[in-house]
């Protein structure tokens, strides 16, 4: 694992001001992992919500 150098980062999830007020979500590091065995499979859609009763 080594430190990564980022030139530009965007995230529509973390840029949503209704979820995250300005300054509450700040990128502070990036890691590069090479040679890691992984099996990728498609899972169920990921749901994001706030409040009671949200699945």
């Amino acid at each position: 694992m080594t430190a990564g150098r980022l030139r530009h980062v965007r995230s529509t999830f973390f840029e949503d001001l209704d979820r995250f007020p300005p300054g509450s979500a700040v990128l502070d590091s990036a890691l590069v992992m090479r040679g890691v065995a992984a099996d990728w499979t498609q899972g169920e859609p990921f749901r994001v919500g706030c409040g009671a009763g949200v699945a």
Side-chain angles (χ1 to χ4, degrees):
M1 187 171 358
T2 60
R5 287 187 178 168
L6 304 175
R7 295 182 186 165
H8 179 79
V9 177
R10 293 254 359 235
S11 169
T12 56
F13 180 78
F14 289 107
E15 290 174 356
D16 183 345
L17 298 179
D18 291 331
R19 288 189 177 111
F20 302 97
S24 64
V26 179
L27 180 68
D28 65 354
S29 62
L31 300 175
V32 178
M33 296 172 55
R34 300 181 197 277
V36 177
D39 291 320
W40 296 94
T41 59
Q42 182 173 350
E44 295 296 318
F46 183 69
R47 293 179 177 237
V48 177
C50 298
V54 177

